[in-house]
Amino acid sequence: MNKKSAACAAVIEIGTKNVKMRVSQLVKGKIHTLDYLEYPVSLDHDVFETGAVSFDSLRELSAALAKFSSALLSYNIEKPRVVSGTALLEASNRALVLDQLRVRNGMDVAVLDSSQEKAYIFSEIEKRLVQEDRIHSGHSLIAHIGSGSIGLAVYDGEKAVYFQNIPMGALKLHDVLGALRRKADDFNCILEEYMDTILNRMHISGFGIENLVLTGSQIELIAKLCSAEKAGLVYHIETGALQALYDSLLSMTAESISLRYGITENQAALLYTTLFIYRGILRFCPQAKEILSPPVDISEGVTRYMLMPKADAEWSSYLRKNALACACTAAQSFHCDEEHSKRIGGYACRLFDKLKKVHGLDTSKRLVLELAAALHSCGSYVSLRQHNRCTYDIIRGMDLFGLSSAEVLEVAMVAGSISDALAQENVPELSILTQSERIVVSKLSAIFRLANALDKSHLEKLKNLKMSLDEDRILIRAESSSNTLLERWSFEESAGFFKEVFGLSPELLIKSDMI
């Protein structure tokens, strides 16, 4: 294959223990890996124990990236996509590290939040499992055990309906509890109790999990040690073999594990904590006889959406489908009115589309409105008196599938109407935003509040809504056979803020069918 005959793309992933580079090419609709390089680095001790990347580690990382840049010259690639997850996400001096990599290597590193990272990985897992017919029967628990976090999602065969990110991966667990292991003879019991406090908070038993899909950085080694068969792109690991492997390692030291399996002591120590997490997740599907394990990494997902035609639209659709499904599941646990949420989400999107020449926002903000609509009643479950405040606090702490922490904050502010007093500098929630971010939130909030007013009674009183935009007003026409005094009052209450933000006067004209 002529590596210059078609478009190539390179993705570099900065991990806690290594830096990886994947060079790929799109040929006849399929992505082929042309080159894959891996270079060891030691960011794990820095990030998980000291909290910051040392200058020694920074120099080591910069040197590795320089080697990759040289290798890319033969592919005529000057600007690879460089991403990082936990390795830099949790570093207290992240801004300094990113600046130095920009200065030293000319590389702009995109630091992905855990939810964004897992979305790329889960999209690849889905594609790998298309050939597995059994994955479409019943619900499946998909878990990715990374170095610093565990991503868990429940799939119904078409989409994720539950998502959670646990900030405790195999390497982080090993480093955080490393000192304790050296002191305690019954370390495995302590570890089990510690993980129980985390995994017991996962309320997914109601889904009736029938399939287990587990993967992560150690999956190739674990599959090999369990003598797993590989069908196509997926390992089939027997749960009994996994349990037996774990039991055999319980009383062994890292040194003895290393000698038995011909791996380094660091790999041996990490193998133990990884196996422990895998074993812990088995509790969610105790009847499972096998684990499906497709080896994937984030570079494959990022590459796909760099090279494939219409990738942006496909990625947006994937995120929307899964993020909304997971948000709706969360809303159900707070007894939100799902039909009302769908209606105002639809109204908000219609307003967003109608005002696109006025608001100037990226189309991705449309999803923020839909998520805000799905979740805006969560706070009422906690407190009717302070429901807006509670809604904001609840959403702010959520893991929303594929969204960055900044996007989650936007959803929380819009849904919780925290933006009521945008001009007040002393509002604590607003002080964390830049001026441009405040403007975005204010535009979305103005649209959302007007949409919410159109179904204030939750009774879908307004029918056949039509929206039109004039120079100085947005006109909404509707028909109704009910008393719409509540909707009219709420609309007038929201109209002032809308006009303040957009300079347009909202008008609601309702043709009454009341007899």
Side-chain angles (χ1 to χ4, degrees):
M1 181 187 298
N2 181 358
K3 62 189 178 185
K4 293 185 180 180
S5 61
C8 297
V11 177
I12 296 174
E13 178 191 356
I14 300 174
T16 50
K17 296 190 76 68
N18 49 49
V19 186
K20 306 172 186 175
M21 182 177 73
R22 183 182 301 275
V23 182
S24 305
Q25 185 178 47
L26 181 66
V27 179
K28 295 181 179 179
K30 293 185 178 181
I31 295 175
H32 299 268
T33 297
L34 300 181
D35 209 347
Y36 182 82
L37 301 174
E38 200 169 305
Y39 196 86
V41 295
S42 302
L43 301 182
D44 53 326
H45 172 76
D46 289 358
V47 175
F48 297 145
E49 294 191 27
T50 68
V53 177
S54 68
F55 270 94
D56 285 341
S57 295
L58 178 57
R59 281 189 281 271
E60 181 184 15
L61 175 58
S62 179
L65 293 176
K67 289 183 173 66
F68 286 164
S69 291
S70 298
L72 286 175
L73 293 177
S74 61
Y75 294 96
N76 199 28
I77 298 175
E78 295 181 1
K79 280 289 183 181
R81 176 85 186 275
V82 188
V83 298
S84 181
T86 304
L88 297 183
L89 182 65
E90 298 189 15
S92 59
N93 62 340
R94 179 176 67 187
L96 175 63
V97 173
L98 296 180
D99 175 73
Q100 285 298 296
L101 294 180
R102 188 180 300 111
V103 172
R104 296 174 183 223
N105 299 89
M107 292 183 177
D108 293 313
V109 182
V111 180
L112 304 178
D113 283 326
S114 296
S115 296
Q116 294 175 299
E117 180 184 21
K118 299 304 185 299
Y120 277 115
I121 291 171
F122 288 157
S123 70
E124 284 302 300
I125 291 174
E126 278 191 81
K127 288 177 172 61
R128 298 282 173 91
L129 294 173
V130 167
Q131 64 193 45
E132 298 286 337
D133 292 338
R134 75 193 71 187
I135 208 65
H136 295 288
S137 59
H139 287 83
S140 304
L141 176 64
I142 300 181
H144 180 267
I145 293 84
S147 298
S149 63
I150 304 168
L152 289 158
V154 176
Y155 276 79
D156 65 2
E158 296 180 356
K159 59 190 178 299
V161 292
Y162 176 91
F163 173 74
Q164 194 69 255
N165 197 75
I166 303 172
M168 184 57 68
L171 185 56
K172 191 174 184 179
L173 184 63
H174 170 264
D175 286 356
V176 169
L177 299 182
L180 184 60
R181 181 170 190 171
R182 291 188 289 270
K183 296 177 184 177
D185 294 331
D186 55 349
F187 175 73
N188 60 301
C189 295
I190 297 171
L191 186 62
E192 190 161 333
E193 290 178 357
Y194 179 76
M195 284 301 295
D196 279 346
T197 63
I198 297 174
L199 294 178
N200 285 343
R201 298 171 190 166
M202 307 294 296
H203 305 297
I204 59 177
S205 57
F207 290 107
I209 306 299
E210 297 183 23
N211 307 291
L212 274 180
V213 183
L214 307 181
T215 188
S217 57
Q218 295 284 304
I219 191 58
E220 298 270 10
L221 176 59
I222 291 174
K224 177 183 177 182
L225 298 181
C226 290
S227 301
E229 294 183 1
K230 192 173 186 181
L233 300 172
V234 181
Y235 286 109
H236 293 248
I237 302 175
E238 293 183 5
T239 53
L242 184 77
Q243 181 66 50
L245 178 60
Y246 173 78
D247 291 340
S248 70
L249 300 184
L250 269 179
S251 58
M252 295 176 65
T253 64
E255 182 181 6
S256 56
I257 295 173
S258 170
L259 291 172
R260 173 181 287 189
Y261 297 116
I263 57 179
T264 67
E265 286 192 30
N266 283 338
Q267 287 176 314
L270 188 57
L271 173 64
Y272 177 83
T273 52
T274 304
L275 273 173
F276 177 80
I277 295 172
Y278 273 57
R279 176 180 169 274
I281 293 176
L282 288 178
R283 74 182 67 190
F284 298 120
C285 190
Q287 77 277 12
K289 300 299 182 185
E290 69 172 6
I291 300 165
L292 303 178
S293 298
V296 297
D297 64 46
I298 192 172
S299 66
E300 294 173 287
V302 175
T303 298
R304 182 179 301 279
Y305 292 101
M306 289 175 68
L307 286 177
M308 293 297 288
K310 300 180 181 179
D312 288 344
E314 181 185 343
W315 181 246
S316 295
S317 176
Y318 172 79
L319 283 184
R320 179 181 179 274
K321 176 181 68 175
N322 290 284
L324 275 176
C326 292
C328 287
T329 300
Q332 289 169 9
S333 65
F334 289 99
H335 301 283
C336 298
D337 185 339
E338 186 175 354
E339 292 304 314
H340 165 69
S341 295
K342 286 181 179 178
R343 281 194 292 274
I344 67 170
Y347 297 156
C349 287
R350 289 176 64 182
L351 282 167
F352 184 89
D353 295 342
K354 183 64 67 174
L355 294 164
K356 62 182 179 181
K357 292 183 179 179
V358 178
H359 59 60
L361 297 175
D362 186 87
T363 53
S364 63
K365 300 304 178 187
R366 203 174 187 269
L367 178 58
V368 172
L369 288 171
E370 292 185 278
L371 292 171
L375 297 166
H376 78 286
S377 299
C378 290
S380 298
Y381 183 80
V382 179
S383 170
L384 288 173
R385 183 171 57 87
Q386 300 185 55
H387 62 93
N388 282 356
R389 171 83 257 177
C390 292
T391 292
Y392 169 79
D393 289 335
I394 290 169
I395 299 175
R396 187 74 184 92
M398 282 185 176
D399 286 316
L400 294 178
F401 189 99
L403 268 66
S404 67
S405 56
E407 290 168 328
V408 172
L409 179 59
E410 287 178 349
V411 175
M413 286 187 163
V414 173
S417 297
I418 295 299
S419 59
D420 279 358
L422 284 169
Q424 296 181 22
E425 297 296 332
N426 61 346
V427 178
E429 291 79 19
L430 297 176
S431 64
I432 62 177
L433 301 180
T434 64
Q435 192 61 41
S436 61
E437 288 170 337
R438 289 191 187 194
I439 292 172
V440 170
V441 170
S442 69
K443 290 177 178 180
L444 294 174
S445 297
I447 293 171
F448 177 76
R449 290 168 60 187
L450 205 64
N452 192 23
L454 294 172
D455 192 43
K456 192 65 176 178
S457 64
H458 293 219
L459 297 175
E460 195 180 5
K461 292 179 181 179
L462 303 183
K463 309 291 185 181
N464 301 322
L465 263 74
K466 296 180 181 179
M467 303 176 184
S468 59
L469 181 64
D470 290 339
E471 275 192 24
D472 60 351
R473 64 176 182 166
I474 175 81
L475 182 60
I476 301 175
R477 292 183 173 88
E479 299 173 1
S480 180
S481 57
S482 306
N483 186 323
T484 58
L485 187 59
L486 180 59
E487 278 71 22
R488 293 174 189 272
W489 168 80
S490 183
F491 190 87
E492 289 301 318
E493 286 288 299
S494 304
F497 183 62
F498 187 94
K499 185 175 182 179
E500 178 185 338
V501 172
F502 291 113
L504 298 173
S505 297
E507 293 183 21
L508 178 61
L509 300 179
I510 303 175
K511 182 180 179 181
S512 177
D513 292 335
M514 294 180 66
I515 299 176

